[in-house]
């Protein structure tokens, strides 16, 4: 009995430790925050507005900002975030990489917010033949340039393409070391104010450039409340932006380091659909985001931006928008 007691005590202690680890693991899983990757783009700014105005519980939803969309894509692939605000083409690339995701929200439809800008004196895409064009290393930038060239009878082989980050691009453009670049808000407005010539924009690609929020399927299943809170906070922020525009612009001006007038101008090339319209867009059929995704996947496959034809039928999950 004297020998057995320490053994029993050791076993009991071990069971207590294991139960605590189990409880701790379960509790941590229950409280696991939703980490959302974003990059500077006005179509994602309501997320930060919601955060600044305490529409989100910061212990449940955390925003991680990357300099460009490729940062969010990489973080989704390596599992360091559970959700991301991305363009639809980047969502398709995640499917190709085998990342199990669902689109839970349409944030905006670009209607001029993405553009090809050229040096003064270059009046059209056709004049880019033989010229130096700078791109951010993202699928969207490639897609924009391919479609701009295609609509003007040119191909990528007709231009000299180089990759650079947003900051490098601006420096290259201002020093005239490139003839044109693919840009997006708020950089687009900034460069146009500096004399850049817009020769092509997402206005010329009706409904092709759509931004969405994607969430990893496993997280969506295990933490639906956090995902619902993310979606609800988004629509609260849209209402706040409409009703408290001046305050909203001041908050975003500090965040983006541009003037309130430039912040407002950067939204001109975007359509941010209300909840009711988003429900309609995500419902399927003609004019839906499903139709856009199919068209997008086809064009991307044709131009080597997607290796395979991606199955988009199960990509969209409208339950949180319909709630």
């Amino acid at each position: 009995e004297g020998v057995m007691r320490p053994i029993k005590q050791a076993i009991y202690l071990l069971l207590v430790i294991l139960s605590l680890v189990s409880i701790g693991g379960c509790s941590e899983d229950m409280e696991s925050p939703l980490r959302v990757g974003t990059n500077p783009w006005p179509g994602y700014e309501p997320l930060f507005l919601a955060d600044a105005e305490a529409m989100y519980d910061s212990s449940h939803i955390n925003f991680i900002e990357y300099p460009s969309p490729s940062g969010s894509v990489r973080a989704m692939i390596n599992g360091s975030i559970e959700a991301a605000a991305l363009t639809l083409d980047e969502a398709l690339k995640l499917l190709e990489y085998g990342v199990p995701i669902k689109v839970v929200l349409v944030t905006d439809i670009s209607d001029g917010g993405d553009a090809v800008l050229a040096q003064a004196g270059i009046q059209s895409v056709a004049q880019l033949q033989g010229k130096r064009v700078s791109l951010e290393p993202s699928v969207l930038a490639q897609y924009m340039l391919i479609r701009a060239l295609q609509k003007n009878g040119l191909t990528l082989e007709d231009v000299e393409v180089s990759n650079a980050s947003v900051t490098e691009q601006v420096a290259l453009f201002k020093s005239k070391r490139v003839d044109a670049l693919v840009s997006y808000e708020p950089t687009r407005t900034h460069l146009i104010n500096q004399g850049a010539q817009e020769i092509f924009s997402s206005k010329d690609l009706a409904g092709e450039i759509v931004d969405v929020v994607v969430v990893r399927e496993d997280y969506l299943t295990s933490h639906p409340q956090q995902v619902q809170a993310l979606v609800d906070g988004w629509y609260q922020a849209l209402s706040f932006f409409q009703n408290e525009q001046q305050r909203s612009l001041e908050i975003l001006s500090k965040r983006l380091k541009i003037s309130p007038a430039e912040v407002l101008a950067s939204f001109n090339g975007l359509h941010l659909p209300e909840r009711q319209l988003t429900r309609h867009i995500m419902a399927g059929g003609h004019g839906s985001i499903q139709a856009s995704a199919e068209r997008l996947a086809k064009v991307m496959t044709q131009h080597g931006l997607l290796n395979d034809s991606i199955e988009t039928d199960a990509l969209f999950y409208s339950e949180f928008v319909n709630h």
Side-chain angles (χ1 to χ4, degrees):
E1 178 67 17
V3 176
M4 285 298 289
R5 184 168 292 163
I7 294 172
K8 282 180 180 174
Q9 285 173 338
I11 290 170
Y12 177 74
L13 188 61
L14 182 63
L15 288 171
V16 168
I17 290 167
L18 286 172
S19 70
L20 286 172
V21 167
S22 170
I23 291 166
C26 178
S27 167
E28 191 182 343
D29 185 54
M30 291 282 284
E31 295 302 319
S32 175
L34 175 58
R35 295 169 297 181
V36 186
T38 73
N39 62 274
W41 164 249
Y44 305 151
E45 288 305 303
L47 293 170
F48 292 98
L49 202 51
D51 202 34
E53 288 298 302
M55 293 169 192
Y56 291 131
D57 180 341
S58 58
S59 65
H60 291 155
I61 297 173
N62 299 333
F63 295 101
I64 299 159
E65 192 165 22
Y66 298 93
S68 69
S70 49
S72 293
V73 170
R74 278 195 303 272
M76 283 294 285
I77 292 167
N78 66 34
S80 57
I81 57 175
E82 292 75 38
L86 297 169
T87 47
L88 188 52
D89 52 282
E90 285 153 352
L92 296 181
K93 284 301 282 184
L94 282 180
L95 285 184
E96 183 186 70
Y97 293 135
V99 182
I101 54 163
K102 295 283 186 193
V103 167
V104 298
L105 177 67
V106 176
T107 63
D108 64 273
I109 299 155
S110 181
D111 188 29
D114 296 271
V116 179
L117 304 178
Q119 299 285 0
I122 298 175
Q123 302 292 324
S124 68
V125 174
Q127 291 178 328
L128 288 182
Q129 186 149 15
K131 298 285 196 296
R132 301 158 299 174
V133 183
S134 178
L135 289 185
E136 208 182 27
S138 72
V139 179
L140 175 61
Q142 291 177 70
Y143 182 81
M144 276 291 292
L145 183 58
I146 284 167
R147 293 292 280 128
L149 294 169
Q150 186 184 51
K151 280 179 168 276
N152 288 273
L154 299 174
T155 69
L156 282 176
E157 287 160 18
D158 294 312
V159 292
E160 191 184 311
V161 178
S162 62
N163 283 338
S165 70
V166 181
T167 3
E168 290 168 333
Q169 273 190 324
V170 172
L172 288 168
F173 191 81
K174 285 183 175 175
S175 62
K176 303 200 171 172
R177 282 177 287 162
V178 292
D179 301 297
L181 51 79
V182 177
S183 185
Y184 53 87
E185 296 292 8
T187 311
R188 172 191 166 273
T189 293
H190 172 68
L191 286 173
I192 286 173
N193 289 344
Q194 301 279 316
Q197 183 82 23
E198 182 172 278
I199 55 172
F200 187 83
S201 83
S202 45
K203 271 188 188 298
D204 303 302
L205 297 174
E208 287 186 40
I209 311 294
V210 181
D211 286 282
V212 295
V213 171
V214 300
V215 181
R216 295 182 77 95
E217 277 189 63
D218 52 354
Y219 188 91
L220 184 149
T221 307
S222 59
H223 299 81
Q225 285 175 315
Q226 273 97 315
V227 181
Q228 188 67 63
L230 179 73
V231 172
D232 291 345
W234 168 266
Y235 289 113
Q236 270 183 270
L238 285 192
S239 296
F240 184 82
F241 187 79
Q242 285 171 351
N243 300 327
E244 302 278 350
Q245 192 172 86
Q246 201 49 49
R247 178 164 166 71
S248 300
L249 292 175
E250 282 164 16
I251 292 168
L252 298 181
S253 168
K254 282 178 194 164
R255 222 191 75 72
L256 295 169
K257 297 180 178 61
I258 56 176
S259 71
E262 281 184 309
V263 174
L264 188 59
S266 74
F267 280 96
N268 288 342
L270 294 184
H271 179 54
L272 282 69
E274 293 292 343
R275 197 170 200 136
Q276 194 57 43
L277 179 56
T278 307
R279 284 173 182 155
H280 175 72
I281 291 168
M282 290 182 78
H286 180 71
S288 70
I289 192 170
Q290 171 75 47
S292 294
E294 285 167 10
R295 183 176 66 238
L296 192 57
K298 190 176 176 183
V299 173
M300 287 174 73
T301 306
Q302 282 169 351
H303 291 90
L305 297 178
L306 274 180
N307 294 334
D308 297 302
S309 209
I310 295 297
E311 188 53 64
T312 59
D313 289 354
L315 177 59
F316 302 98
Y317 191 82
S318 58
E319 189 169 318
F320 299 107
V321 168
N322 291 338
H323 191 266

